[in-house]
Amino acid sequence: MVVPFASEARRHFDAVAQQFGLSCVASTEREVRYENDGVFLIVNFDNGRSYELGIEVGGKRRAKPERPFSLAEVLRLRGVADATAIDGIMVSDAARLQDALMRLAALTLQHASDFLMGNDFSFAQVARLREKESDAYALERDLRVARARSEVAWTDRDYQAVVKALDPLEQHLSPAEKKRLKYSRMKRVPENGPE
């Protein structure tokens, strides 16, 4: 089933776009795009597949490629509780689509106005947030891998492998993991073998 998206999206976002001098430059059943010389606003919908609905804003700079940020990222930057609720929002019927678009248009107007005005400082702030979130995700991934490896090595009493797994992440370890690392450093066999 395909949900009628383009006309409903335009009904809710044309007014938002006009307030910031944005014109509709593309309108399909998957995406409505507004832009002016400095910024763009995209309302997208994975119509007929995952039914995910999303909003993106971005700056148009000649020296840099377009780099859109999601409305969810903007809301996280602002500390708005709705950020989690709208990230990857799924709408599979026309009645819910209207309500969701109305809500997203209101949130865009309320929290992303400075982006739609082309405020470079706001774009820099959300870029830093994205980088911070990406770094936190990478750290969590690295910790999961290191913990799994150190558990296996600890069980095998391979203290060298425990040190190898945990040492690079020492500052992020729990107190118990730091004790395990310290113990493993004392117990490990030097790489050249026993002295």
Side-chain angles (χ1 to χ4, degrees):
M1 168 182 84
V2 175
V3 178
F5 165 72
S7 59
E8 197 63 39
R10 295 220 37 202
R11 190 163 75 85
H12 293 285
F13 278 88
D14 277 2
V16 173
Q18 288 170 1
Q19 287 185 40
F20 300 96
L22 299 163
S23 301
C24 183
V25 295
S27 180
T28 70
E29 288 305 315
R30 292 194 179 271
E31 176 181 291
V32 175
R33 181 183 174 105
Y34 301 92
E35 59 181 60
N36 62 21
D37 291 340
V39 298
F40 62 92
L41 168 67
I42 300 172
V43 184
N44 52 46
F45 186 50
D46 193 8
N47 204 347
R49 295 189 327 183
S50 71
Y51 295 102
E52 282 189 61
L53 180 62
I55 309 299
E56 296 178 316
V57 295
K60 292 171 58 181
R61 305 288 182 254
R62 290 190 182 124
K64 300 178 186 176
E66 294 180 350
R67 184 175 182 189
F69 296 97
S70 71
L71 180 59
E73 288 175 303
V74 171
L75 296 181
R76 284 196 302 275
L77 176 69
R78 305 281 191 247
V80 177
D82 272 349
T84 352
I86 68 147
D87 199 8
I89 190 170
M90 295 175 71
V91 180
S92 59
D93 63 71
R96 287 197 55 227
L97 180 64
Q98 179 180 350
D99 292 340
L101 286 167
M102 185 184 321
R103 180 175 170 215
L104 291 174
L107 288 168
T108 301
L109 195 54
Q110 184 177 2
H111 297 287
S113 293
D114 50 339
F115 290 90
L116 297 176
M117 288 188 283
N119 185 315
D120 288 336
F121 180 72
S122 296
F123 281 111
Q125 282 184 307
V126 78
R128 282 191 299 276
L129 173 70
R130 178 182 280 176
E131 187 175 326
K132 182 180 171 184
E133 289 176 343
S134 177
D135 290 348
Y137 177 80
L139 175 61
E140 282 304 313
R141 180 202 59 223
D142 293 347
L143 282 168
R144 275 193 309 277
V145 170
R147 286 173 175 142
R149 288 181 179 161
S150 74
E151 279 300 318
V152 170
W154 182 259
T155 302
D156 294 342
R157 294 186 177 162
D158 183 352
Y159 301 113
Q160 186 72 28
V162 172
V163 171
K164 184 177 178 183
L166 296 180
D167 195 54
L169 299 166
E170 183 174 8
Q171 67 183 10
H172 304 288
L173 300 177
S174 71
E177 290 165 335
K178 286 180 181 180
K179 285 181 184 176
R180 180 178 281 188
L181 177 59
K182 183 178 179 182
Y183 180 84
S184 296
R185 283 179 178 148
M186 292 185 325
K187 295 295 280 184
R188 70 180 171 184
V189 176
E191 287 182 20
N192 297 334
E195 294 179 358

